[in-house]
Amino acid sequence: MATTPPQLESFFYAALTGLETIRVDDSGTVVSLTNTTAVPVQTGSPNVLTGWHVDANVSVPLAETYTFSWDSTNQQVSFSATGAFDLYLDGSTSAAFGFSDQYHTGASEYTSDLTPKAICNPLNIDYDAPRAAEETELRMLRWSRAIARKHYRAEVTTLRIMMTSAQADAVLAGPLLTSKMRVLPTGYTSGAYSASNTTGYLDVFPYGIPNTQKIGSADGHTMVEIACSVVE
Amino acid sequence: MSKGLFVSVSGWSDTSLTVTVGADSEAYVPTTDKDTPYGYMEDLETWCNAAARAWSGSATFSQSLLETLTPYLGTQLTSSVATTYAADSDLQTLLGWPASGQSATEIYSSSGVPSSCDGRSDVGNWTRRVRDVGNYARSGSFVIDSQYCALRHPQIELVITEAQAGALKDALKNSSDPRTAHAYRHSTKEWVEFSLGKVDVTRSQAEHYRAALEAIG
């Protein structure tokens, strides 16, 4: 079965000003495309890129047909249409998608020229099987009977990621580590993680980086451990 | 070789299993609300074979383990004569049983028991230990505690795969409070019950984990 390359992608929130809206114009009327929920950049339905181009394609002032996508081979976000259009990447969306300029005009396709901060395909992602993080109290009562009280807190896991140092510099400083993210491990085919799909995607909240290490020629690769709680 | 672990859950007293042998029909409703699936099956077998049952003397029942539903375990109840079973929805959820038996004599898990894990289990140090010494004099002596009442402090571990780690995580997350567990002890071919504290899951190889259970029995 075909597998998707390992991938990290940020969740974009409707309430997070600066990442929820982009604008396009192909007919003299600028149309705002706004994400109204919390979704990842590309994987699953709905997602940010698909949501925006679906809105663009039903928008009456816009005449062209739009496709917004992530190119995992070239590590670029692509905003394209059937004809020339203007693209406005407002707020932090330009940095999130790896564009050095916020405003683009005159072409039918625009692609990232920098390393994106909101999505990337590391060389390898592995996660520990999520485990129950619990506090327990094991008490012994009279006549030597024992009881054990458990206080369930969350599921936790550790990601172990090998990526290029360029990706690490973008990822470790960007939106990916400040909020919820979707993790597609090495060997991912489809669906969410479960006991019957142990290479499924995980939605996690990172809470710490216990270990990073630069390795390889000219420190070109970085290994990162990220401690996360799992969204349930 | 594997066997594994059952963890206690709540809700057994909300379940009902109606057993019908010929013209005799009775319903089993446990009085214990927090129990492991293995504990429930033992009590169910005892109830089915009790002298008070209308079919006593003409039918015998036995419970057994299913080990084909990895990463979970399954349970089965079998009768010596034609029997119909009706499991309510709560029991179906807790044991993975269908609403009625799959054959003329048996009902068994068609999907894994949610509060179980079929990882390779083993139990060590399953002995009662009085840790302190008592006092003695020329006239006699006394022990500090009763060996018969002393607790066991066993060492219980599971070696588990990725899938079994997922099953174990779900079993712990949904366990009752307080909680107990049954683990299989290979040396004596028996299931042992204990109070279950913390469970440490650590990676031992690329695709295997070791779960160390804090237990007192």
Side-chain angles (χ1 to χ4, degrees), chain A residues 126-132 134 136 138 140 143-152 155 160 193 195 198 232, chain B residues 71-72 145 149-151 162-163 165-167 169 172-173 175-179 195-198 201 203 209 214 216:
Chain A
D126 178 46
Y127 56 69
D128 285 348
R131 64 189 187 282
E134 301 174 68
T136 54
L138 191 61
M140 284 173 269
W143 293 117
S144 296
R145 295 294 300 274
I147 64 166
R149 288 206 175 272
K150 60 102 179 176
H151 307 280
Y152 176 76
E155 291 177 25
R160 292 185 183 79
Y193 169 87
T198 55
E232 298 177 50
Chain B
Y72 303 97
D145 202 345
C149 294
L151 290 167
E162 294 261 6
K169 179 257 297 177
L172 295 176
K173 191 174 83 170
S175 61
S176 64
D177 196 1
R179 70 184 183 190
S195 291
L196 176 63
K198 194 164 171 286
V201 179
R203 200 168 216 173
Y209 298 80
E214 182 186 30
I216 289 187

Side-chain angles (χ1 to χ4, degrees), chain A residues 30-70:
Chain A
V30 178
V31 173
S32 291
L33 307 172
T34 301
N35 172 38
T36 58
T37 183
V39 286
V41 171
Q42 187 246 353
T43 301
S45 180
N47 64 67
V48 168
L49 294 177
T50 303
W52 278 337
H53 79 227
V54 164
D55 287 349
N57 292 333
V58 299
S59 171
V60 170
L62 298 176
E64 306 296 341
T65 300
Y66 293 82
T67 304
F68 303 158
S69 61
W70 167 246

